[in-house]
Amino acid sequence: MEVAGALQLGELAAAFAALPVFPLFDTAYFIVSVLYLKYEPGAVEMSRKSPFASWLCAMLHCFGSYILADLLLGEPPIDYFSNNSSVILATAVWYLIFFCPMNLFYKCVSFLPMKLIFVAMKEVVRVRKIAAGVHHAHHRYHHGWFIMMATGWVKGSGVALMSNFEQLLRGVWKPETNEILHMSFPTKASLYGTILFTLQQTHWLPISEANLIFFFTMFMIVCKVFMTATHSHASPFAPVESFICPVFFGSVSSGHTSHHHDQHGASHEVSHPPPPPAKSKEELNEGTRKRKAKKAE
């Protein structure tokens, strides 16, 4: 018997999973996505100098996960742009956030209580996208576990994974901000979530898809709302990762660090040899006499 059934949450979870995300939840998703774009340095100036480039960046923030998932599955990457209603809605959100008179729309949606509501609604869409990505990949590759996980992961965090390409559209190149090297909480949560949905889809996890959507969405809402309200960047997974990762993957060895430091110090010494010893007063006088004698000759 499932835990959800024992708690009589099955009907609630089923109703929640059947809740349509368009247009209400999608609007919240677009608002938060474009807000994050406006927070980027130089984004406002770019919208004045090149509105088309700003619009392209906004579309990547709103639909980047669909584009990346289509590329993985060998489908047309612009296929989702045939959904005219979503594109028009995202364009309207972009225009209001960047160009609304007196910045009224931006001030309203960035007001913290309103923003928290939109953040919670965005997580509803994120979890649905993860579940849909895994389900889509399972339909095409019935035994391809890693394909399911990759598709669900990019569906949940494709915007972050495409951040370097989006930066190029804004004229910025920051390879050190690669999301693979420095995963944010949404990217990690999407990865862990897609593993759960893959196990559920392949019947290794004894829980219905509706219940998993409900519980994982509640987890994401609580974490993201708390992190946004407190302006925290600390990952809730950090305590578990700090315990598990050294066990399975080891930790940075102090000997390796000192060895690297020694090599760096040695190369530094080679490239910068010590200065020659200072000449004595007698040697300086002798050199002066020789130069005078040579000049006289």
Side-chain angles (χ1 to χ4, degrees):
M1 175 181 278
E2 295 182 0
V3 176
L7 297 176
Q8 298 181 348
L9 293 176
E11 294 183 2
L12 176 61
F16 180 79
L19 192 66
V21 296
F22 184 86
L24 192 60
F25 290 92
D26 275 347
T27 302
Y29 184 90
F30 298 152
I31 288 174
V32 177
S33 299
V34 180
L35 272 179
Y36 289 157
L37 170 62
K38 190 167 185 176
Y39 293 156
E40 293 291 337
V44 176
E45 293 78 3
M46 179 189 66
S47 66
R48 278 25 176 204
K49 295 178 181 178
S50 178
F52 181 68
S54 177
W55 178 81
L56 280 179
C57 292
M59 294 304 103
L60 282 181
H61 274 259
C62 294
F63 307 115
S65 56
Y66 297 101
I67 296 172
L68 198 54
D70 287 340
L71 288 173
L72 287 179
L73 295 177
E75 299 177 355
I78 61 172
D79 185 61
Y80 193 81
F81 285 88
S82 62
N83 191 339
N84 297 326
S85 300
S86 295
V87 175
I88 292 173
L89 180 59
T91 301
V93 169
W94 162 77
Y95 185 85
L96 289 173
I97 287 180
F98 278 94
F99 303 105
C100 181
M102 300 176 62
N103 234 4
L104 287 177
F105 188 78
Y106 169 75
K107 293 176 181 177
C108 291
V109 297
S110 61
F111 181 54
L112 186 58
M114 290 294 297
K115 184 179 177 181
L116 294 179
I117 296 175
F118 294 139
V119 166
M121 296 173 70
K122 179 181 179 179
E123 296 311 310
V124 175
V125 180
R126 187 196 303 275
V127 177
R128 297 290 186 86
K129 288 164 64 177
I130 295 173
V134 173
H135 186 271
H136 187 190
H138 179 262
H139 178 72
R140 294 192 56 180
Y141 303 93
H142 193 68
H143 301 289
W145 284 35
F146 291 100
I147 298 177
M148 297 179 211
M149 287 188 284
T151 307
W153 186 35
V154 300
K155 272 290 187 78
S157 58
V159 179
L161 296 173
M162 295 180 67
S163 59
N164 290 111
F165 178 71
E166 185 269 334
Q167 288 172 358
L168 287 178
L169 291 179
R170 291 189 284 112
V172 180
W173 175 241
K174 296 180 179 179
E176 68 277 4
T177 61
N178 190 314
E179 188 69 17
I180 301 294
L181 297 176
H182 308 283
M183 288 191 187
S184 60
F185 166 72
T187 304
K188 285 186 178 181
S190 298
L191 177 59
Y192 298 149
T194 193
I195 293 173
L196 294 177
F197 279 101
T198 300
L199 294 175
Q200 186 279 327
Q201 195 69 235
T202 53
H203 306 292
W204 283 85
L205 190 63
I207 186 173
S208 67
E209 185 179 29
N211 290 332
L212 184 56
I213 289 175
F214 177 78
F215 288 120
F216 194 70
T217 302
M218 294 301 108
F219 167 76
M220 291 295 295
I221 288 175
V222 171
C223 291
K224 280 296 292 180
V225 168
F226 176 79
M227 294 173 67
T228 304
T230 58
H231 303 285
S232 172
H233 297 284
S235 172
F237 302 121
V240 179
E241 292 174 346
S242 63
F243 174 77
I244 294 178
C245 290
V247 175
F248 288 97
F249 306 108
S251 58
V252 179
S253 172
S254 59
H256 176 76
T257 304
S258 62
H259 178 67
H260 176 75
H261 176 74
D262 292 342
Q263 286 183 336
H264 180 74
S267 61
H268 180 75
E269 290 176 1
V270 171
S271 59
H272 299 281
K279 295 182 178 180
S280 63
K281 185 176 180 180
E282 290 77 11
E283 290 174 338
L284 291 174
N285 293 335
E286 182 65 22
T288 303
R289 286 195 298 269
K290 287 182 179 180
R291 284 195 297 272
K292 288 183 178 180
K294 187 175 182 180
K295 186 176 180 181
E297 290 176 357

